[in-house]
C-alpha cells in the first residue's frame, strides 16, 4: 500500500486565516484583503476540507479560531512576518540600501552595548536600516522566534532556552540599591534587604526577567516581598519616582549612571549579591545572514568579548 501523502498547505490561505482571526469576521477580513466575502469563505472551506479539521467556529458575533486554527495562526504569523520583512528589504534594495536589521533589547543593553555596536555597524555599512526595539523579555523572545526580530540582547532568564535559540554570554552585571541623593540610607556602605523592610519600594513590572531575579534576592534572604510597591514597565517613570521621593529600587548600576554622575541619585551596593546577572546575545539557530554576522561581531567588540 502506498504511503499516504499529506497535501501541502497554501501559504496564501494561512495569511487569509490570520486576517480573519485579526479582524474577527469574514466580512471585515475580506475588505482588508480586497476580496469578496464568499470567495474568502470558500477558501477557508477548501482549507478545512484539505486538513480534515475545523479551523473556525462561526458565531453570531463573527468568527473564532478553533484549537486547530490557533495552531495554524501561529505559523501564519511567522510567514506573514517573513513576507513583510522581504517586502521591506526589497524596497530598501530599490532605494539603494543594503538590508535591514531588527534588534530587540532590554534597557540595560540599550545603555552601552547596543548603541556601541550599532555605531560600529553604521560606520562599516552606512546603507542599512536598523531598528532597535525595547520590549518586555517575553515579547523579545516571541519576536525572535517569529522572525520579527533578528537578534535579542538582554539579561539571561531563569529558564533554559529552547533548542531553537542560540545564546552566548556577553557580560556580567550586579544589582545595587538605587535611591535619591540625600536619602537617609544613601550614606550606607552596603545594605541587606532586611535593612529595607520599612522602605518604600518601586519595582519593575512582574512580566520582566529583572523582576523575577529581584524576587530571588528576596527569597534568598528570606524576606517578604513588598506588598505596596509602585510598579511600572517604564524605566523613566521608575527613576523619576525615585528622584522625587524616598522610594528605593534594586536595579543595575548601569541604568542610573547618568543620574549618579549628575548627583541626582546614589547607588548603594547589596551586601549579599547571591548571583550576578548575565547579559546575553540570543539568535535563532539558523545560518545567520552576512549582516547579522557583522552585527554579532560588533556586539562582541562592544561587550569586550570579541572572538576574532
Amino acid at each position: 500500500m502506498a504511503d499516504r501523502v499529506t497535501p501541502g498547505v497554501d501559504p496564501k490561505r494561512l495569511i487569509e486565516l490570520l486576517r480573519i482571526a485579526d479582524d474577527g469576521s469574514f466580512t471585515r477580513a475580506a475588505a482588508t484583503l480586497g476580496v469578496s466575502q464568499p470567495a474568502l469563505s470558500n477558501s477557508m472551506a477548501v482549507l478545512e476540507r484539505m486538513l480534515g479539521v475545523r479551523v473556525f467556529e462561526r458565531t453570531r458575533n463573527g468568527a473564532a479560531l478553533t484549537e486547530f486554527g490557533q495552531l495554524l495562526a501561529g505559523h501564519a504569523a511567522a510567514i506573514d512576518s517573513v513576507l513583510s520583512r522581504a517586502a521591506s528589504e526589497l524596497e530598501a534594495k530599490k532605494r539603494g540600501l543594503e538590508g535591514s536589521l531588527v534588534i530587540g533589547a532590554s534597557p540595560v543593553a540599550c545603555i552601552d552595548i547596543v548603541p556601541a555596536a550599532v555605531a560600529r555597524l553604521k560606520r562599516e555599512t552606512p546603507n542599512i536600516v536598523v531598528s532597535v526595539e525595547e520590549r518586555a523579555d517575553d515579547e523579545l523572545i516571541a519576536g525572535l522566534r517569529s522572525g520579527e526580530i533578528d537578534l535579542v540582547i538582554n539579561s539571561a532568564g531563569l529558564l533554559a532556552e529552547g533548542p531553537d535559540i542560540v545564546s552566548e554570554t556577553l557580560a556580567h552585571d550586579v544589582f545595587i540599591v538605587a535611591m535619591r541623593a540625600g536619602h537617609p540610607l544613601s550614606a550606607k556602605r552596603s545594605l541587606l534587604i532586611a535593612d529595607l523592610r520599612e522602605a518604600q519600594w518601586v519595582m519593575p513590572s512582574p512580566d520582566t526577567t529583572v523582576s523575577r531575579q529581584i524576587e530571588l534576592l528576596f527569597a534568598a534572604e528570606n524576606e517578604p516581598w513588598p506588598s505596596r510597591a509602585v510598579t511600572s514597565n517604564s524605566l523613566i517613570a521608575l527613576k523619576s519616582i525615585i528622584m522625587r521621593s524616598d522610594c528605593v529600587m534594586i536595579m543595575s548600576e548601569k541604568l542610573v549612571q547618568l543620574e549618579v554622575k549628575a548627583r541626582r541619585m546614589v547607588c548603594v551596593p547589596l551586601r549579599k549579591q547571591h548571583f550576578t546577572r548575565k547579559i546575553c546575545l540570543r539568535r535563532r539557530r539558523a545560518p545567520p545572514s552576512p549582516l547579522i554576522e557583522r552585527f554579532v561581531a560588533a556586539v562582541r567588540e562592544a561587550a569586550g568579548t570579541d572572538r576574532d
Side-chain angles (χ1 to χ4, degrees):
M1 181 178 178
D3 292 337
R4 182 180 177 184
V5 177
T6 302
V9 178
D10 187 343
K12 178 175 177 290
R13 289 199 169 94
L14 291 182
I15 299 301
E16 291 173 343
L17 176 143
L18 189 62
R19 295 291 174 266
I20 298 168
D22 289 342
D23 291 337
S25 81
F26 279 73
T27 301
R28 288 191 292 271
T32 299
L33 293 165
V35 300
S36 69
Q37 190 272 337
L40 185 59
S41 295
N42 181 65
S43 180
M44 289 300 99
V46 171
L47 178 65
E48 289 179 329
R49 283 198 303 272
M50 184 179 64
L51 297 176
V53 295
R54 295 290 297 275
V55 296
F56 281 107
E57 292 292 346
R58 279 71 168 178
T59 68
R60 184 177 301 176
N61 297 322
L65 289 171
T66 65
E67 183 179 357
F68 298 105
Q70 290 172 359
L71 176 63
L72 287 177
H75 294 287
I79 293 172
D80 196 36
S81 176
V82 170
L83 293 176
S84 177
R85 288 289 303 279
S88 297
E89 291 185 16
L90 180 62
E91 181 61 27
K93 189 71 174 177
K94 287 165 59 179
R95 293 166 54 197
L97 303 178
E98 298 179 13
S100 65
L101 190 66
V102 180
I103 305 155
S106 62
V108 70
C110 289
I111 295 296
D112 48 18
I113 295 177
V114 170
V118 170
R120 171 182 158 175
L121 187 68
K122 288 292 286 183
R123 285 195 302 270
E124 295 177 348
T125 317
N127 295 327
I128 59 170
V129 176
V130 179
S131 175
V132 179
E133 302 281 342
E134 184 182 314
R135 304 182 190 175
D137 296 292
D138 294 345
E139 294 178 12
L140 290 176
I141 299 303
L144 180 63
R145 284 199 162 101
S146 71
E148 179 186 358
I149 294 174
D150 294 304
L151 305 101
V152 167
I153 304 170
N154 65 347
S155 57
L158 303 178
L159 299 176
E161 286 87 2
D164 58 328
I165 302 295
V166 177
S167 176
E168 68 176 81
T169 300
L170 297 171
H172 291 83
D173 190 26
V174 296
F175 284 119
I176 50 84
V177 183
M179 61 193 72
R180 66 171 176 83
H183 190 286
L185 297 174
S186 61
K188 295 285 187 180
R189 296 181 62 123
S190 64
L191 288 166
L192 294 168
I193 293 179
D195 298 329
L196 302 168
R197 284 177 185 166
E198 303 302 319
Q200 302 175 54
W201 286 91
V202 292
M203 292 285 187
S205 296
D207 61 341
T208 58
T209 296
V210 66
S211 177
R212 293 188 282 269
Q213 290 170 334
I214 294 172
E215 287 180 19
L216 284 181
L217 292 176
F218 274 80
E221 297 189 24
N222 199 28
E223 287 296 319
W225 186 253
S227 59
R228 295 186 296 275
V230 177
T231 62
S232 176
N233 63 357
S234 167
L235 179 62
I236 293 175
L238 292 170
K239 292 197 291 186
S240 295
I241 292 169
I242 291 171
M243 289 187 287
R244 289 169 170 77
S245 69
D246 280 341
C247 289
V248 300
M249 179 178 171
I250 293 174
M251 65 168 67
S252 165
E253 187 173 10
K254 290 178 178 290
L255 295 176
V256 292
Q257 59 187 11
L258 293 179
E259 290 80 6
V260 170
K261 186 175 181 179
R263 299 183 180 179
R264 297 290 307 280
M265 293 178 68
V266 172
C267 295
V268 179
L270 283 168
R271 196 171 308 164
K272 296 181 179 180
Q273 283 290 331
H274 299 290
F275 60 86
T276 60
R277 290 202 305 164
K278 294 179 180 179
I279 308 303
C280 294
L281 166 69
R282 294 179 171 91
R283 58 180 177 84
R284 291 182 295 281
R285 191 179 293 277
S289 68
L291 184 56
I292 289 177
E293 287 184 330
R294 281 183 175 225
F295 185 71
V296 168
V299 166
R300 289 171 179 161
E301 181 185 74
T305 58
D306 200 329
R307 298 183 180 183
D308 293 340

